[in-house]
């Protein structure tokens, strides 16, 4: 099978492709190769001996009956190899297929790196294809909508400035029934940290802001949440290929922290936003280090437990498994801290295999879930591997400290009828911690 | 025939090695310059410690997930590369050529041992061909360049063993030398370029995983 046999109708891709000519494609490709790629792409392209060892690394390949067109090298072969071999002279229809491969059939999870003796980074190649498609104006409609939202509002979900502030007031108000002294301090200058979330939190998962506020207050933290644009740490532009906008988002995020004179930023339980800070956005801006220290929630919760600032009433007794999100585990090495926090909360942790940096991706990350309903089926069916992993643990609860993983795993759990409940670390801490009488 | 053979192991061999040396240096140097010019945000994270850590761990058979998941290919790959290097250096005629040219002497393989290792290399190449045809993923991504590279590697060994068995008379040693020279010249321009670049791509990936991603890349 090839991508030509499984094209999915998407308005964004169709519209983008309808405006292309072969000449425009070739000119754009040449400009991309000359201006934006270098030795990495050249060395990867020339050194790959096409051994196919990477195939088994990919959940799409494994879950689609070992279909070679889903293997990492197969995806490269249908995209970058074809472009390089033809010096960018391909048809608009080819570009449709390439966009579908790069945006919806690769989670950029980098698991294939663990299988390639030569050290070829297929995620980088797929990101470069996405960048190319962005430059051609060929992007899936749903992810492009989030990218538009970023550029218009500086957040991913079209949340208006007053709606954001209102959401914080609303959660503060609600929480004061349970925690009478609770505050969500807004724009507090010089606080220990500012807590930043992704825009789907106020939009769809507002209870997470409630829970975070409850934890911060019970732990006696000196914290704040900003009222101004920059509060959203998410970055779909990194995945759509709009790197200029990715840079603007990261700059705004950090400038807000500097404006508020906070000592550091604590980021919510999200993976891709973290990748945007440590790996992609920072490099685009030319920063080797961040202007303000940043920690992920996992690190922050670990710190609270180490300092004895969270008191629990009890621990979860039933079997609990842990899903390692690619961007913060394979991407940032937080597997031990994740386990430390999980063991504080649960007595009976059952590991899934493979785990830690060798885990299988949730199949939602890398912007794939953000490409929306047209591509849901391929994503869910493309993660039978994860369903089998989850099932084998026999656990009834799965901890996944990442929003995208939640989205992807929820779909997998429902599709394969696994009967597993998904939890954020914040969910469990809130549920188990001591609360006022 | 003799003068042709002498020409092949003499001036032609010199030419092949000089072409390899010049093009390899040029390819590595231009790749290095390109990396400095275009990949500064990656070069900035290069680290000796993590580069060597990654190379070391990937040199150990069955250490990485990739080696573990492909047990037969792993065995064949290691055997192939080891035999290849041992034969190139330790086969007696090669040592004699080096001795004639530079006066270098060292112990060499017996002709029986050399024959066995050569047959092993040929068997490995046969496995690569078999896998390239029967494994659907590999077949899906195989292009002419992959066959050319494999052919370039296999033919000098094939001609060597036939020559050792005196098949084809004087033509076989000549063919061995000529095809080996073709292989030498082709290294920087075919998939065999992994000989030049693999250590560097591995080092780069090791640096990223060690220094930026704080985890293993094997």
């Amino acid at each position: 099978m090839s991508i030509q046999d499984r094209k999915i109708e998407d308005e964004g891709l169709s519209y983008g492709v309808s405006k292309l000519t072969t000449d425009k494609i070739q000119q754009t490709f040449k400009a991309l190769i000359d201006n934006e790629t270098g030795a990495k792409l050249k060395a990867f392209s020339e050194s790959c001996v096409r051994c196919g060892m990477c195939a088994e690394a990919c959940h799409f390949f494994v879950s689609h009956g070992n279909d070679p067109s889903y293997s990492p090298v197969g995806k490269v072969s249908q995209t970058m190899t074809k472009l390089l071999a033809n010096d960018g002279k391909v048809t608009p229809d080819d570009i449709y297929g390439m966009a579908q491969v790069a945006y919806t059939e690769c989670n950029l999870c980098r698991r294939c790196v663990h299988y390639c003796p030569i050290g070829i980074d297929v995620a980088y190649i797929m990101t470069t294809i996405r960048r190319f498609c962005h430059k051609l104006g060929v992007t899936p409609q749903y992810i492009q909508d989030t990218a538009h939202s970023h550029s218009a509002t500086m957040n991913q979900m079209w949340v208006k400035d007053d709606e954001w502030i209102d959401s914080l007031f609303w959660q503060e108000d609600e929480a004061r029934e349970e925690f009478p002294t609770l505050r969500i301090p807004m724009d507090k200058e010089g606080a220990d940290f500012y807590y930043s979330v992704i825009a789907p939190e106020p939009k769809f998962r507002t209870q997470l802001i409630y829970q975070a506020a409850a934890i911060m207050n019970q732990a006696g933290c000196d914290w704040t949440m900003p009222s101004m644009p920059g509060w959203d740490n998410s970055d779909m532009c990194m995945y759509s290929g709009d790197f200029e906008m990715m840079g603007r988002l990261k700059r705004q995020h950090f400038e807000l922290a500097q404006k508020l004179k906070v000592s550091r930023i604590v980021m919510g339980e999200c993976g891709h936003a973290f990748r945007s800070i440590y790996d992609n956005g920072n490099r685009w801006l030319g920063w080797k280090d961040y202007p303000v220290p940043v920690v992920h929630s996992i690190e922050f919760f670990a710190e609270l437990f180490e300092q004895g600032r969270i008191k629990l009433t009890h621990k979860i007794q039933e079997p609990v498994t842990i899903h390692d999100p690619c961007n913060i585990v394979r991407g940032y090495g937080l597997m031990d801290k994740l386990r430390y926090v999980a063991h504080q909360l649960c007595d009976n942790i059952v590991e899934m295999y493979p785990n830690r940096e060798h885990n299988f991706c949730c199949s939602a990350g890398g912007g794939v879930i953000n490409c929306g309903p047209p591509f849901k089926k391929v994503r869910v069916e493309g993660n039978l591997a994860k369903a089998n992993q989850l099932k084998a643990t026999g656990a009834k609860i799965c901890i996944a400290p990442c929003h995208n993983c939640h989205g992807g795993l929820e779909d997998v759990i429902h599709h394969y009828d696994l009967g597993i409940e998904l939890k954020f670390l914040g969910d469990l801490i809130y549920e188990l911690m001591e609360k006022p009488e | 025939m003799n003068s042709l053979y002498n020409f092949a192991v003499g001036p032609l061999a010199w030419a092949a090695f000089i072409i390899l040396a010049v093009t390899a240096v040029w390819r590595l140097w231009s790749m290095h310059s390109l990396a400095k010019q275009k990949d500064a945000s990656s070069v900035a994270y290069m680290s000796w410690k993590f580069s060597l850590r990654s190379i070391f761990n990937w040199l150990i058979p069955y250490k990485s997930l990739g080696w573990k998941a492909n047990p037969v290919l792993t065995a064949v790959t290691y055997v192939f590369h080891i035999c290849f290097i041992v034969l190139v250096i330790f086969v007696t005629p090669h040592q004699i050529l080096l001795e004639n040219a530079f006066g270098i002497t060292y112990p060499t393989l017996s002709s029986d041992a050399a024959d066995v290792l050569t047959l092993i290399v040929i068997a490995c190449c046969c496995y690569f061909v078999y896998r390239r045809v029967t494994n659907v993923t590999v077949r899906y991504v195989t292009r002419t360049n992959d066959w050319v590279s494999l052919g370039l590697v296999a033919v000098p060994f094939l001609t060597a063993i036939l020559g050792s068995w005196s098949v084809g008379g004087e033509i076989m040693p000549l063919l061995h030398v000529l095809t080996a020279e073709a292989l030498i010249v082709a290294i920087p321009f075919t998939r065999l370029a992994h000989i030049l670049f693999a250590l560097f791509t591995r080092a780069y990936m090791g640096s990223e995983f060690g220094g930026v991603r704080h985890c293993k890349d094997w």
Side-chain angles (χ1 to χ4, degrees):
Chain A
M1 210 195 219
S2 84
I3 189 66
Q4 302 299 332
D5 306 315
R6 57 166 180 268
K7 277 194 185 159
I8 291 170
E9 180 54 33
D10 178 273
E11 216 165 309
L13 296 180
S14 301
Y15 179 68
V17 162
S18 72
K19 295 193 296 180
L20 292 181
T21 61
T22 304
D23 279 349
K24 185 182 174 187
I25 296 168
Q26 190 172 26
Q27 279 168 16
T28 311
F29 183 70
K30 283 184 172 176
L32 178 91
I33 294 297
D34 288 347
N35 301 325
E36 298 194 28
T37 70
K40 265 200 296 189
L41 182 67
K42 211 174 168 59
F44 290 156
S45 306
E46 295 189 26
S47 304
C48 176
V49 292
R50 323 238 148 225
C51 66
M53 272 171 62
C54 54
E56 283 177 63
C58 183
H59 49 281
F60 274 108
F61 172 83
V62 174
S63 308
H64 280 113
N66 294 358
D67 180 335
S69 59
Y70 284 106
S71 67
V73 66
K75 292 178 224 181
V76 174
S77 168
Q78 292 173 86
T79 56
M80 189 56 85
T81 310
K82 187 167 181 175
L83 284 164
L84 288 170
N86 294 291
D87 196 24
K89 204 170 171 61
V90 299
T91 66
D93 201 39
D94 288 330
I95 295 296
Y96 194 111
M98 289 181 192
Q100 189 174 318
V101 168
Y103 284 110
T104 73
E105 296 179 1
C106 172
N107 295 100
L108 311 179
C109 78
R110 294 203 187 97
R111 189 166 190 264
C112 42
V113 168
H114 288 116
Y115 285 71
C116 177
I118 289 173
I120 292 170
D121 187 354
V122 173
Y124 167 74
I125 300 172
M126 287 299 124
T127 306
T128 309
I129 294 292
R130 291 184 184 194
R131 172 73 174 154
F132 175 48
C133 291
H134 160 77
K135 283 179 157 291
L136 290 172
V138 181
T139 45
Q141 188 189 26
Y142 275 77
I143 194 169
Q144 186 56 50
D145 180 70
T146 60
H148 283 328
S149 173
H150 275 307
S151 49
T153 67
M154 297 306 281
N155 73 71
Q156 191 199 135
M157 288 280 137
W158 300 103
V159 178
K160 292 176 188 155
D161 291 351
D162 61 332
E163 289 173 342
W164 162 246
I165 295 168
D166 194 48
S167 299
L168 297 187
F169 281 152
W170 166 39
Q171 290 311 304
E172 182 181 75
D173 205 31
E174 288 235 328
R176 282 173 77 93
E177 277 198 27
E178 197 178 5
F179 304 91
T181 58
L182 181 142
R183 291 292 318 277
I184 297 183
M186 213 178 293
D187 294 337
K188 181 183 172 188
E189 266 195 29
D192 267 356
F193 61 90
Y194 104 54
Y195 184 64
S196 77
V197 297
I198 63 172
E201 289 207 22
K203 193 88 175 177
F204 305 120
R205 298 187 195 265
T206 325
Q207 85 280 1
L208 294 181
I209 296 176
Y210 178 115
Q211 287 175 182
I215 296 166
M216 305 300 179
N217 278 272
Q218 285 300 96
C221 297
D222 175 20
W223 68 303
T224 185
M225 286 186 89
S227 69
M228 294 160 276
W231 56 265
D232 173 19
N233 58 31
S234 73
D235 189 351
M236 278 305 126
C237 295
M238 164 177 70
Y239 287 148
S240 75
D242 186 351
F243 296 165
E244 290 79 4
M245 195 57 221
M246 167 177 76
R248 275 185 65 201
L249 289 170
K250 291 308 106 179
R251 191 182 290 280
Q252 181 99 355
H253 189 227
F254 281 104
E255 281 179 355
L256 189 52
Q258 288 171 316
K259 201 176 286 174
L260 292 174
K261 302 185 177 69
V262 294
S263 311
R264 59 180 176 165
I265 300 168
V266 172
M267 293 177 57
E269 291 180 65
C270 178
H272 92 274
F274 218 63
R275 180 186 194 141
S276 163
I277 280 182
Y278 75 75
D279 197 349
N280 292 41
N282 58 332
R283 294 190 197 205
W284 178 263
L285 290 167
W287 297 345
K288 196 170 178 187
D289 215 340
Y290 329 121
V292 179
V294 191
V295 293
H296 188 270
S297 274
I298 291 176
E299 296 170 283
F300 178 68
F301 291 147
E303 207 178 285
L304 292 183
F305 277 112
E306 276 159 6
Q307 293 169 0
R309 291 168 74 176
I310 296 180
K311 308 262 186 302
L312 302 178
T313 55
H314 62 289
K315 289 169 86 171
I316 302 275
Q317 298 303 317
E318 57 190 317
V320 176
T321 191
I322 300 171
H323 169 73
D324 292 286
C326 307
N327 287 324
I328 51 174
V329 172
R330 182 159 39 248
Y332 204 70
L334 295 184
M335 51 276 196
D336 291 326
K337 286 211 165 133
L338 170 56
R339 276 159 184 74
Y340 168 74
V341 176
H343 280 275
Q344 297 294 314
L345 299 162
C346 311
D347 273 335
N348 188 6
I349 300 276
V350 192
E351 289 285 351
M352 66 172 90
Y353 293 98
N355 58 7
R356 301 167 69 89
E357 63 264 75
H358 296 148
N359 72 325
F360 272 117
C361 174
C362 65
S363 197
V368 171
I369 196 170
N370 308 76
C371 293
F375 306 100
K376 182 178 173 184
K377 192 167 169 252
V378 72
R379 160 170 68 79
V380 176
E381 288 178 354
N383 216 355
L384 175 65
K386 190 88 231 171
N388 290 338
Q389 249 188 317
L390 283 165
K391 206 172 183 174
T393 63
K396 290 289 160 219
I397 295 174
C398 173
I399 297 175
C402 168
H403 293 82
N404 267 345
C405 294
H406 268 247
L409 294 178
E410 265 165 20
D411 292 337
V412 166
I413 287 167
H414 287 148
H415 183 80
Y416 297 98
D417 201 17
L418 300 177
I420 295 173
E421 207 181 343
L422 271 173
K423 296 280 188 188
F424 286 100
L425 289 172
D427 288 331
L428 289 178
I429 296 174
Y430 168 75
E431 188 183 321
L432 301 171
M433 73 182 186
E434 284 181 2
K435 302 185 183 81
E437 287 301 314
Chain B
M1 189 64 84
N2 241 349
S3 60
L4 205 56
Y5 182 82
N6 286 337
F7 177 70
V9 295
L12 214 52
W14 277 102
F17 281 117
I18 289 168
I19 291 170
L20 172 67
V22 171
T23 51
V25 168
W26 167 70
R27 292 236 56 201
L28 287 170
W29 179 82
S30 58
M31 203 62 104
H32 175 69
S33 320
L34 189 61
K36 278 209 301 192
Q37 194 190 339
K38 292 287 193 58
D39 299 299
S41 66
S42 299
V43 173
Y45 293 90
M46 288 299 285
S47 124
W48 279 102
K49 179 181 148 194
F50 293 126
S51 295
L52 294 173
R53 185 183 79 159
S54 176
I55 292 165
F56 174 75
N57 280 291
W58 273 92
L59 281 175
I60 302 168
Y62 303 106
K63 172 90 175 166
S64 71
L65 283 195
W67 293 141
K68 279 179 196 154
N70 298 275
V72 180
L73 179 63
T74 303
V76 175
T77 304
Y78 274 85
V79 168
F80 168 80
H81 283 93
I82 292 166
C83 291
F84 185 106
I85 294 165
V86 168
L87 280 170
V88 166
I89 300 172
F90 293 104
V91 84
T92 311
H94 292 185
Q95 185 269 321
I96 292 169
L97 286 173
L98 283 176
E99 191 173 356
N100 290 344
F102 306 108
I104 299 169
T105 58
Y106 52 83
T108 57
L109 293 167
S110 70
S111 66
D112 284 348
D115 280 2
V116 171
L117 292 190
T118 308
L119 285 172
I120 291 174
V121 169
I122 293 168
C124 292
C125 289
C126 291
Y127 176 76
F128 292 144
V129 171
Y130 166 78
R131 193 168 174 275
R132 213 160 263 294
V133 174
T134 57
N135 181 306
V136 282
T137 304
V138 186
R139 193 171 63 220
Y140 184 77
V141 297
T142 296
R143 301 286 180 274
T144 314
N145 193 336
D146 302 294
W147 288 119
V148 169
S149 304
L150 193 48
L152 279 166
V153 172
V155 173
F157 290 93
L158 214 54
T159 48
I161 198 72
L162 291 174
S164 164
W165 292 338
S166 306
V167 177
E170 286 180 358
I171 191 85
M172 213 44 86
L174 178 66
L175 279 178
H176 170 72
V177 175
L178 291 176
T179 52
E181 284 162 356
L183 168 66
I184 289 164
V185 172
I187 287 172
F189 307 105
T190 57
R191 293 249 179 270
L192 302 170
H194 73 270
I195 297 171
L196 301 177
F197 299 131
L199 274 185
F200 297 97
T201 46
R202 183 80 270 150
Y204 164 66
M205 225 49 235
S207 300
E208 288 278 336
F209 268 70
V212 179
R213 296 174 196 139
H214 312 299
C215 67
K216 300 184 292 190
D217 66 324
W218 58 88

